[in-house]
Each structure stands twice: as C-alpha cells, then as structure tokens.
Amino acid sequence: MYDVIVIGAGPGGYLAAERISAEGKKILLIEKEHIGGVCLNEGCIPTKTLLYSAKLYDGALHGDKYGISARDITIDHSAVIDRKDKVVKTLVGGVSMALKSKKVEVIMGDAQIKEKKDGKIQVEVNGEIKESTSLIIATGSDSVKPPIPGVKEGLESGFVLTNKEILSLKEAPKKLVVIGGGVIGLEMASYFNSIGCEVTVVEMMGKIAGPTDITISESLKKEYEKKGVKFYLESKVTKVDDKFIYFEKNGEENKVEADKVLLSIGRRANINGIGLENLNVYTERGCIKVDEKQQTNIANVYAVGDCVGGVMLAHTAYREAEVAVNNILGKKDRMQYNAVPSVIYTNPEIASVGESEQSAKEYGLDIIVKQLPMQYSGRYVAENEGGSGIIKIIVDKKWNTLIGVHMMGNYSSEIILAAATMVESNMNIEEIKKVVFPHPSVGEIIREAIFSI
Ligand code: NAI
C-alpha cells in the first residue's frame, strides 16, 4: 500500500514523486517508456543542445562582424546529434539518481487504473495490482498525426518525421519542409536553417508562433526570411507524397519539394488506454478535467502536465505537480496561469509572459502599450551587431500594473523570468521603477520600457 502512485515520469511526474517522497510518504512512480519524459528525451533538452551548436556555428560564420576571422568552419550534424545523446543520457541519469536518493520506488511498465474501493485506488502494472490513497496522473502528450493523405505512409517510410525522429536524424536533409509554424516547427526550422538546409514552413494560420504577440511574431518571421527560410501562411496542407507537400493557399493548389518533412502541428494529451473510464474520470476536449487544485472529479485523483491540456509546457507541469502535491499534503495551493512565461529558442530568441496587446484588448482592458528597440540596452548593442531586438510591454491603465511583456532578442529566455515575477506579483509601475537592474545587462531593457511610459 502506497500513499501516492504517480503515473508518468516526465517533469510533472518525477517532480511530484520527489516532492512527496521528501515528505516521508511511500510513493510509487510508474513509467512505460523513459524517465524524464518528452522534455528530457525528445523535447526541451535535446532541442536546446542542437540549437546551442547552431548558435556557436552561426557566431563563428559571422565572426567578422566582431573582428574575428576564421576559415573552413563546418558543422558536423552527426557529431551534434551524438553530443545531444550524451547530454540526454547525463540528465536522465541525474533524474534517476535523484529519484533513487529520495527513495522513490520506480517500476518500468504500462500502468492501468483499475478501480477505487474503500478509499484505495488500484493500479495494475506488469500484471500486479498496486494500491494507494492518492493518484497523480502525469501521462503527458504525443504529437498530433492528422489524417492528411500520405502522412501515415510518410511516417512509416521515414519521409515524414515528428519531434521524436527528427532529433535522431544522423544526416541533415538538404530540403526540409516544416508543417506547422509553432514552437517545435520554428525551433527546428531555426536549427536546420543555421546548418545550411533549405527550410520551408507551411502554416495554416495567418501568423507564426501561435498566440505570441503579433509584433514579435512578425519580427521573428522577418528575421528568418532574411536568413532564407520561406514561409507560406494561411496555407493548408492537403496531401503528402514521397517527394512533395501539397497545400492550398488562397484557393490555389501549391507544392513544395522536400527530402524530409517535420510534422509539428500540435500535441494531444495521452489519456487513452490508461483506464480513466474505470474510475469515471471526466475529460474535456481530449484532456483530463481538473480543478485549480489539479484534482479530477474523483477525490484523491489528481492530474498534472500535458495530459490536462492548456499550457503544455514542462515548467507548467512542474508547478501543477507542486500544486497537486501540496493539496495531497493538506496544504492550500492553487494553480494560476496568468504569469507562465513562454520561450521559443530561435536565434534571436523570443519570450513572453502575460497578456498580449490583442488578448488585453479582447478582455476589454484599458491598456498602455510601449515598444522599444533592444538597442536601448548597451549590452545588447555590444553583443548583437546589427540586431533588431524589441521589447513590448502592456500596462493595465486602471491599476497601473504590468500585465504583459514580449521580447525578441538574445537572453530574452532568461530575462523573461524577471518580467514573470513582476506580472505574477502584480507589481505596479512605481514599484518596478525602484528595482535596481545590473548594468550593463540586456535585462535593463525592462527598466527602459517602464520609464518610457
Ligand atoms: P504548436 O501548437 O506550438 O504549433 C502548431 C502549429 O501548427 C500552429 O501554428 C497551427 O496553426 C499549425 N497547424 C495546425 N494544423 C496545421 C496544418 N494542417 N497545416 C499547417 N499548419 C498547421 O505545436 P508544436 O509546435 O507541435 O508544439 C507542441 C507543444 O510543445 C506546444 O505545446 C509547445 O508549447 C511545446 N513545446 C515548447 C517548447 C518551448 O517551450 N520552447 C519547445 C517545443 C515544444
């Protein structure tokens, strides 16, 4: 008998297991594929490893802007993939060690929720029934594979790849077509463009980067057009054969040739085949329905991470896991999504938190919008020759609080934390003005934007 069983060892699951175990509870973590989940094995970490190599290569190629000349610079894609494998192995090993040191029992196997009887939740794994008082479901998500003619065959033949397979390609394609200009699509477009592939992005909507503020999204598109990436917006893929991707734009049929295709049109929660129906756990639009404590409609059954939908990010899963754990431990805690930062690790990076200009207007908020070039930061100018970074801030006029920050330019991925803290704590503009920023830092751009109001 366990206090808690956790299904799924991705960021949400392993963090929940560690935190619960640290409180002296008896815990079982069940994982069917690999410790670390998508984030560590085929998502956040491996992509950042590739993108860092691409960034170094890019820097070396364009070193002349900084007075550096080098000859015969090459990038070895297969060596980059080998290093990625090494990094993943190290980090997965780290998580496994942490689980061991915190005395979390781990079983590798496919978990099936069976029933809840006399307050005990039963889960079957590898033919054995395990029982617990509480359950945390953290089964993650998988890439959406649409019923577009030719996609299924392409996935089988290896012509069409998802985020999983593309990270193990030993040979870079000459021509890559990316279906879906969202987070995965743009990060992979960025990497393959940097290493010299011809990259085309076909996106169904009128803009790239999903809900990102339109100014940032358009600026990023321009940056990548300058680097040679071709974008087809408002373009719906209709068919894939073994050489071409066919799409409809403005009522006309177009096609683009590819050696490989990346399918990155979103992710779907993993909720099937885990026995949710045995407990009658409610789902909504393909995701597990939870309240702000991360509890499902069944007492003591919680769900966290991508399987609950919404903001499918590893850092959201971490926080949701903490909320679930705190509630299991009897501590009051609730999940809030108003200040979850989001980052796309292109080069330049883009990052945002809070409301965009569009979303604030949709809510009918009276807002002040300020936009500045990153050139207002001395360090940005020193380190980004010819860079066209921007910051855009959204302020709620009624309360004089910062409600949204959107940036394009390097280090945005790190700076956004400061902005998220300000948005999360409802800091008003006068309070932010008193914050001392290190100088010179790119982060000072927040201060500049605030003082420009
Ligand atoms: P996404 O939702 O970010 O983007 C999918 C894009 O595909 C959208 O722009 C959508 O309009 C487009 N699309 C949908 N159907 C299409 C079609 N038939 N033809 C053309 N375009 C189509 O999904 P993505 O990129 O697959 O990422 C999945 C998840 O992984 C996201 O939730 C994301 O937050 C997460 N992720 C986060 C990262 C980060 O935080 N840096 C990195 C990688 C992934």
Side-chain angles (χ1 to χ4, degrees):
M1 177 76 187
Y2 297 90
D3 292 308
V4 186
I5 292 179
V6 179
I7 305 177
Y14 73 69
L15 184 120
E18 285 179 20
R19 293 275 199 275
I20 286 268
S21 194
E23 296 290 327
K25 302 281 179 197
K26 193 164 160 30
I27 175 120
L28 171 64
L29 175 62
I30 308 173
E31 166 58 48
K32 71 169 178 182
E33 203 176 352
H34 32 215
I35 300 292
V38 169
C39 168
L40 240 59
N41 294 281
E42 57 213 35
C44 319
I45 298 299
T47 50
K48 264 70 280 168
T49 313
L50 265 57
L51 286 163
Y52 185 65
S53 292
K55 196 170 165 186
L56 288 181
Y57 178 56
D58 226 47
L61 281 182
H62 302 109
D64 53 333
K65 289 196 284 189
Y66 303 92
I68 299 163
S69 67
R71 251 170 275 144
D72 304 329
I73 306 157
T74 56
I75 185 161
D76 178 349
H77 173 70
S78 135
V80 173
I81 295 292
D82 287 346
R83 175 170 179 270
K84 179 267 301 180
D85 290 340
K86 197 182 80 185
V87 170
V88 169
K89 202 170 160 208
T90 306
L91 292 174
V92 170
V95 172
S96 303
M97 284 296 291
L99 290 167
K100 208 170 170 183
S101 74
K102 298 220 164 74
K103 301 196 171 37
V104 174
E105 186 182 335
V106 179
I107 294 183
M108 295 305 289
D110 208 335
Q112 269 282 323
I113 303 163
K114 286 292 176 193
E115 63 177 324
K116 188 175 178 191
K117 219 164 65 185
D118 307 327
K120 289 177 193 159
I121 299 157
Q122 295 192 341
V123 176
E124 188 184 322
V125 59
N126 302 337
E128 276 183 46
I129 295 287
K130 307 286 179 187
E131 285 184 333
S132 66
T133 311
S134 300
L135 174 69
I136 299 180
I137 306 165
T139 46
S141 65
D142 199 359
S143 46
V144 169
K145 297 166 188 95
I148 297 172
V151 163
K152 187 168 173 278
E153 294 75 7
L155 284 164
E156 279 161 12
S157 71
F159 176 57
V160 179
L161 314 165
T162 68
N163 63 299
K164 194 171 178 171
E165 299 84 39
I166 201 161
L167 288 169
S168 300
L169 264 192
K170 280 282 183 179
E171 208 179 309
K174 287 197 177 62
K175 292 179 182 174
L176 175 72
V177 171
V178 175
I179 306 179
V183 192
I184 294 180
L186 291 173
E187 289 187 356
M188 285 295 98
S190 172
Y191 172 75
F192 285 100
N193 165 258
S194 292
I195 69 166
C197 308
E198 201 178 303
V199 179
T200 306
V201 177
V202 183
E203 165 59 51
M204 199 166 70
M205 306 301 281
K207 68 192 269 279
I208 58 165
T212 303
D213 190 279
I214 188 75
T215 312
I216 304 295
S217 149
E218 283 179 353
S219 305
L220 185 71
K221 181 167 164 275
K222 273 190 206 136
E223 287 286 321
Y224 274 90
E225 278 168 342
K226 276 193 261 166
K227 293 177 185 222
V229 173
K230 220 166 173 184
F231 292 93
Y232 290 100
L233 302 186
E234 293 176 323
S235 300
K236 200 162 178 264
V237 174
T238 50
K239 191 173 79 177
V240 173
D241 62 20
D242 52 8
K243 206 168 177 203
F244 291 98
I245 288 75
Y246 300 81
F247 59 93
E248 201 185 289
K249 184 174 167 64
N250 302 329
E252 276 176 32
E253 175 104 333
N254 293 274
K255 65 177 180 179
V256 53
E257 196 181 347
D259 298 321
K260 292 282 177 198
V261 179
L262 170 66
L263 187 64
S264 50
I265 61 163
R267 298 187 66 82
R268 182 169 289 150
N270 290 331
I271 57 165
N272 295 323
I274 53 172
L276 291 179
E277 60 288 351
N278 296 334
L279 292 193
N280 197 20
V281 173
Y282 290 171
T283 60
E284 197 175 58
R285 276 174 276 143
C287 302
I288 299 174
K289 193 170 183 269
V290 288
D291 61 16
E292 55 184 18
K293 296 177 186 165
Q294 298 300 132
Q295 189 165 225
T296 66
N297 58 308
I298 308 295
N300 300 329
V301 177
Y302 295 78
V304 304
D306 286 7
C307 67
V308 303
V311 193
M312 287 186 173
L313 294 168
H315 47 277
T316 319
Y318 281 149
R319 177 70 194 124
E320 288 169 346
E322 276 159 4
V323 170
V325 166
N326 285 338
N327 282 287
I328 288 172
L329 295 172
K331 299 179 197 164
K332 275 197 184 133
D333 200 0
R334 65 190 185 100
M335 188 63 204
Q336 271 185 296
Y337 295 94
N338 65 313
V340 175
S342 92
V343 178
I344 304 187
Y345 296 81
T346 40
N347 187 13
E349 298 166 349
I350 64 169
S352 55
V353 66
E355 302 302 334
S356 66
E357 186 177 350
Q358 299 90 317
S359 68
K361 282 181 181 160
E362 275 161 27
Y363 288 134
L365 299 174
D366 194 6
I367 53 171
I368 302 168
V369 179
K370 280 284 168 187
Q371 192 176 312
L372 285 186
M374 284 254 184
Q375 263 82 1
Y376 275 66
S377 147
R379 186 175 180 202
Y380 180 83
V381 175
E383 296 185 5
N384 294 274
E385 188 61 44
S388 47
I390 37 175
I391 182 169
K392 184 171 175 181
I393 61 167
I394 321 290
V395 172
D396 185 319
K397 228 175 178 172
K398 184 174 170 197
W399 302 104
N400 202 28
T401 50
L402 185 65
I403 57 167
V405 176
H406 310 271
M407 290 184 269
M408 181 182 83
N410 283 343
Y411 304 138
S412 295
S413 58
E414 302 289 340
I415 299 162
I416 202 68
L417 172 64
T421 309
M422 292 166 187
V423 174
E424 171 77 46
S425 54
N426 281 319
M427 276 176 94
N428 76 38
I429 301 310
E430 296 315 311
E431 287 169 329
I432 298 173
K433 282 181 177 170
K434 292 178 193 156
V435 174
V436 180
F437 286 77
H439 176 80
S441 66
V442 183
E444 283 175 294
I445 196 67
I446 297 178
R447 182 182 154 80
E448 293 296 333
I450 293 289
F451 273 94
S452 76
I453 297 169

